[in-house]
Amino acid sequence: MKCLFVTSEAQPFAASGGLADVSSSLPHALRQRLIGCRIVMPLYEDIPDELKESMRFLTSFSVPVAWRRQYCGIFESRFDGVIYYFIDNQYYFKRQGMYGHYDDAERFAFFSRAVLEMLPFIDFKPDIIHCNDWQTALVPTYYNLFYSRSDWYKGIKTVFTIHNIQYQGKYGSELYDEVVGIPPQSRSILEFDGCINFVKGAVETSNRVTTVSPSYSWEIRDPWFSNGLDSILNARAWKIRGILNGIDTVSYDPATDPEIYANFSVNDLSGRTVNKRKLQERLGLEQNIETPIIAMVTRLVSHKGLDLVKAALDQIMTEEDIQFVILGSGDWEYESFFRSMQGKYPGRISACHGFIPELSRKIYAGADMFLMPSKAEPCGLSQMIALRYGAIPIVREVGGLRDSIRDSGTGEGNGFTFKNYDAMDMI
């Protein structure tokens, strides 16, 4: 079986979150199960030069974008035994940052069409095209409308994975003629709530829809989680299935990880003490090996449960002898709050802002507990990485956190859980 994995980001080339981790580790795992999986993603300007040097130019052609055609170059690289293809167009991708540009709809409409146009040129016909999140959601729609009845393309199946239903690719209907380029009689596929909705189109046209955890597959059919798309998801419930994400246990291995202060394993945990002591030293925390460290590595946004942490942190620090570490960036409200708390509790709280992969691994290896009180969590990888490094997760029972962490109140679980979105329940 052959699979083409379509993604807007993948390690080690470009990353903004968990999608990049899954996009690299899942195709590698599929190959170990004799599924020939290749990856395709945009050729971003931000990809490090040393990785660009390993790329080989394959071919070029033009891609229809509504009423016009745009240049597309195809580059190839191999990493960890997996073939990567890169879609090149300097107008769309030679700029700083992967997302957040005024023309993201056009950029990823071009990317989606280019993925399909590319296949005959590289002589690779997959059995399955696996698309991920709104940036690739037009691939199943374009395939269904323009390619599925062509002799060369016939028989390809499409799978669309929802990593976060919050991001749906919603745009004004004026983009039909200028950007999306589908005929008027087919626009009902994308039409929803008075606008264009890329994810709605993918749910309608894909052969199967998956989510990144079993719980999330039924949560997103509830208006509380669906961001307005529950009616469509309930109508297509027969094709939706939740499959729990995993992590790369070779990369995330405390016995061999070169980024942590001392290696350790489940059979010899002595290295964790070294990691904790060195972490306290680096972050300016009081040097006390007996004081528990509670850690968070997260984006600083509301759905990660930071409102609960804001409401509870003073009480926790006053009533308990603990240290608190948080690493992440995001909303100014939370960044300023944790900076102020660091000043209020010197030597006990450390707030580190930014995306610092090597420090995140040191935190996993040195913390005693790992807090994830999420309001919504499609899957979550951090709780799995924390388990791998021996930090005990404390999580809210939602999405993939519910599916991966079992409460240890009876002494038999692998973490601690609470159900209600309530600061006192978290405490």
Side-chain angles (χ1 to χ4, degrees):
M1 181 182 290
K2 294 182 290 186
C3 175
L4 181 67
F5 194 91
V6 188
T7 181
S8 60
E9 58 183 78
Q11 293 281 15
F13 298 95
S16 69
L19 173 60
D21 290 325
V22 173
S23 296
S24 60
S25 59
L26 178 57
H28 181 69
L30 291 174
R31 284 179 58 84
Q32 293 176 328
R33 288 155 178 78
L34 302 181
I35 297 174
C37 192
R38 304 182 185 184
I39 300 170
V40 59
M41 61 180 288
L43 182 58
Y44 296 114
E45 172 69 10
D46 291 346
I47 294 175
D49 289 339
E50 59 270 21
L51 293 175
K52 288 180 180 176
E53 291 172 1
S54 68
M55 297 178 187
R56 180 172 66 95
F57 175 75
L58 294 183
T59 187
S60 65
F61 47 88
S62 64
V63 172
V65 181
W67 50 267
R68 59 204 176 280
R69 299 187 73 90
Q70 297 280 30
Y71 163 85
C72 176
I74 303 297
F75 287 78
E76 179 189 275
S77 183
R78 292 175 183 261
F79 181 80
D80 202 17
V82 177
I83 295 175
Y84 286 71
Y85 297 112
F86 297 89
I87 302 293
D88 174 44
N89 179 288
Q90 294 197 359
Y91 174 72
Y92 292 129
F93 301 126
K94 191 175 176 61
R95 55 180 84 174
Q96 297 298 312
M98 294 183 288
Y99 316 124
H101 299 282
Y102 76 96
D103 58 347
D104 275 358
E106 182 175 342
R107 296 169 69 228
F108 290 105
F110 162 80
F111 173 67
S112 297
R113 197 72 188 261
V115 166
L116 293 164
E117 291 283 324
M118 167 189 78
L119 297 177
F121 287 92
I122 63 172
D123 195 27
F124 178 69
K125 182 178 180 179
D127 298 291
I128 296 171
I129 299 177
H130 185 171
C131 305
N132 296 270
D133 266 355
W134 78 265
Q135 296 92 343
T136 69
L138 284 178
V139 174
T141 299
Y142 284 151
Y143 176 79
N144 182 273
L145 293 176
F146 303 128
Y147 299 89
S148 60
R149 286 168 290 280
S150 166
D151 287 340
W152 194 92
Y153 289 89
K154 195 174 295 182
I156 296 175
K157 304 298 183 183
T158 54
V159 174
F160 179 69
T161 295
I162 299 171
H163 293 261
N164 192 332
I165 196 66
Q166 182 178 350
Y167 307 107
Q168 298 178 10
K170 294 193 285 188
Y171 295 98
S173 56
E174 68 275 6
L175 295 190
Y176 275 125
D177 292 322
E178 292 298 314
V179 171
V180 179
I182 63 175
Q185 65 270 22
S186 301
R187 291 177 180 177
S188 61
I189 293 173
L190 296 175
E191 185 76 28
F192 187 72
D193 200 22
C195 66
I196 296 172
N197 189 310
F198 288 9
V199 168
K200 188 258 187 178
V203 172
E204 295 280 19
T205 57
S206 296
N207 295 102
R208 290 291 183 270
V209 176
T210 67
T211 64
V212 289
S213 68
S215 287
Y216 199 57
S217 69
W218 56 261
E219 285 179 349
I220 60 173
R221 294 164 55 194
D222 186 296
W224 176 261
F225 290 98
S226 70
N227 284 86
L229 210 58
D230 48 285
S231 62
I232 301 300
L233 295 167
N234 278 300
R236 298 290 180 263
W238 59 270
K239 67 163 75 172
I240 301 174
R241 181 180 177 187
I243 302 172
L244 189 66
N245 270 345
I247 61 170
D248 183 345
T249 55
V250 175
S251 173
Y252 292 111
D253 185 354
T256 58
D257 191 341
E259 299 285 3
I260 63 178
Y261 293 112
N263 293 119
F264 59 92
S265 70
V266 69
N267 297 315
D268 180 7
L269 292 171
S270 57
R272 286 205 102 253
T273 303
V274 177
N275 282 286
K276 181 174 181 178
R277 186 177 68 251
K278 291 283 191 180
L279 183 66
Q280 288 175 324
E281 181 181 331
R282 172 168 174 172
L283 300 182
L285 300 172
E286 295 172 0
Q287 300 287 291
N288 187 343
I289 205 69
E290 298 299 324
T291 301
I293 297 177
I294 299 176
M296 297 183 72
V297 177
T298 182
R299 283 180 292 132
L300 301 183
V301 291
S302 62
H303 74 265
K304 292 296 185 179
L306 296 177
D307 293 336
L308 300 189
V309 180
K310 281 186 66 177
L313 192 54
D314 257 322
Q315 182 177 342
I316 294 172
M317 299 306 296
T318 301
E319 297 181 356
E320 304 292 342
D321 178 24
I322 65 103
Q323 295 174 349
F324 180 82
V325 173
I326 186 165
L327 169 65
S329 61
D331 294 349
W332 177 87
E333 170 192 356
Y334 300 117
E335 290 188 2
S336 60
F337 168 76
F338 289 114
R339 275 195 297 265
S340 69
M341 294 300 285
Q342 178 178 268
K344 186 175 182 178
Y345 297 98
R348 297 185 63 204
I349 290 181
S350 175
C352 306
H353 297 294
F355 177 65
I356 313 173
E358 57 86 15
L359 179 56
S360 71
R361 292 183 180 235
K362 291 177 172 66
I363 290 172
Y364 289 122
D368 298 286
M369 290 164 277
F370 194 85
L371 179 60
M372 290 185 71
S374 303
K375 182 183 296 182
E377 194 65 65
C379 177
L381 299 180
S382 295
Q383 80 279 13
M384 301 181 193
I385 301 170
L387 285 175
R388 182 74 167 144
Y389 285 75
I392 304 304
I394 304 169
V395 307
R396 180 168 170 261
E397 296 173 16
V398 65
L401 300 177
R402 179 193 292 110
D403 296 326
S404 58
I405 305 301
R406 304 180 309 282
D407 188 78
S408 292
T410 62
E412 296 179 353
N414 60 355
F416 295 95
T417 71
F418 64 101
K419 185 173 184 179
N420 296 321
Y421 192 70
D422 181 88
M424 293 307 298
D425 283 14
M426 184 185 74
I427 290 174

